[in-house]
Amino acid sequence: MKKIGVLTSGGDAPGMNAVIRAVVRSGISAGLEVFGIFDGYEGLVNDKIRLLNKGDVSDIIIKGGTILGSARLEEFKLVEVREKAVENLARHGIEGLVVIGGDGSYRGALALTEMGINCIGIPGTIDNDIDSTDYTIGFDTALNTIIENVDKLRDTSSSHHRCSVIEVMGNRCGDLAIYAGITTGAEIIITKETGYDEEEVLDRLRYFEEKKQKRHSIVLVSEKITDVHLLARKISLHTGFSGRATILGHIQRGGSPTARDRILATQFGDKAVRALLNGEGGRCVGIVNEEIITIDITEALQLTKKSRKPLFELHDRLV
């Protein structure tokens, strides 16, 4: 193998640039030419590909987002679309590809491997919803962004006898909510795992106010569970707290990556290059029990998510 490519796909995550840097520099150190593919699979199909050197990735380890850009391309599921991508890779002499993204990106990488282009996936998503790895790139940075903002909201909530209802990202995964809930001392955490019972939430808030004499409360809610603005209004109507809703939104995706994300990203990028050099394809990188591993993508996509029940039980004991 003489030439490899790297692309970022799906939602951006802090630390993606650190992966790109590691892939480029590790690849060059191994005697490879490394090509950047811009705008994800869309750029692969449209031949937005160019050779990268070490200078192209200088100073990007500190930056959030992705210098290669990202995009979603539903049409990549079509064989004829992927054939065009394979033709473009062949034109550049690219034999292997590092794909940074979530489970949808993994499926594209697996399909390309089946068409003769060895691909290694790297989990880049703030949601931490790739079950073949204990942590995904971007999760720690997003978590710390949430913690910083919730801490600030608690300051103002305690001054006005308020209950702050805060919606965080996570899609189908409640990790951002549960980890942030524990680390900020949130009174209530609502995720897909906990389920949502509006009356139970109101009862618990009344209990916190009347029995525990709390002057403020924090309710953390994973996105797509309920309308947080409506919940805040009901809290104002049915408890002694004044409800206020805050949706943190895409602020959670931005910012300079934490040291943990920079280190993890660097380890993942280097591991992906070495996997390609060893002839691996259709596999993804992860960290399991502090060991950097690769696992078959098909197996990774079939894994059942580890239970977070111990974390929820810990939270309930501490409230």
Side-chain angles (χ1 to χ4, degrees), residues 41 76 97 99 104-114 117-121 281-283 297:
Y41 288 122
F76 203 72
L97 194 61
V99 175
S105 305
Y106 278 18
R107 291 186 177 90
L110 181 60
L112 285 175
T113 299
E114 291 169 350
I117 304 293
N118 276 353
C119 295
I120 302 295
R283 298 179 69 81
I297 290 177

Side-chain angles (χ1 to χ4, degrees), residues 168-189:
V168 300
M169 284 183 167
N171 203 354
R172 303 179 310 280
C173 179
D175 280 15
L176 283 171
I178 181 60
Y179 279 82
I182 290 173
T183 51
T184 60
E187 280 69 28
I188 296 175
I189 301 169

Side-chain angles (χ1 to χ4, degrees), residues 12-48:
D12 63 290
M16 281 184 164
N17 281 327
V19 181
I20 295 165
R21 174 182 178 272
V23 170
V24 171
R25 296 198 168 185
S26 181
I28 291 173
S29 294
L32 299 172
E33 288 185 280
V34 184
F35 290 76
I37 295 148
F38 293 81
D39 297 332
Y41 288 122
E42 181 182 298
L44 190 55
V45 172
N46 294 325
D47 199 19
K48 297 171 72 174

Side-chain angles (χ1 to χ4, degrees), residues 257-306:
T258 60
R260 182 181 179 89
D261 272 331
R262 295 183 199 189
I263 292 168
L264 194 63
T266 301
Q267 291 174 310
F268 280 5
D270 179 68
K271 182 72 170 180
V273 171
R274 288 187 286 120
L276 286 175
L277 288 170
N278 288 334
E280 295 182 39
R283 298 179 69 81
C284 54
V285 179
I287 182 168
V288 178
N289 297 324
E290 298 304 316
E291 181 183 357
I292 308 298
I293 64 164
T294 65
I295 182 176
D296 186 88
I297 290 177
T298 301
E299 182 182 347
L301 293 173
Q302 293 173 348
L303 287 174
T304 302
K305 184 172 180 59
K306 296 175 184 177

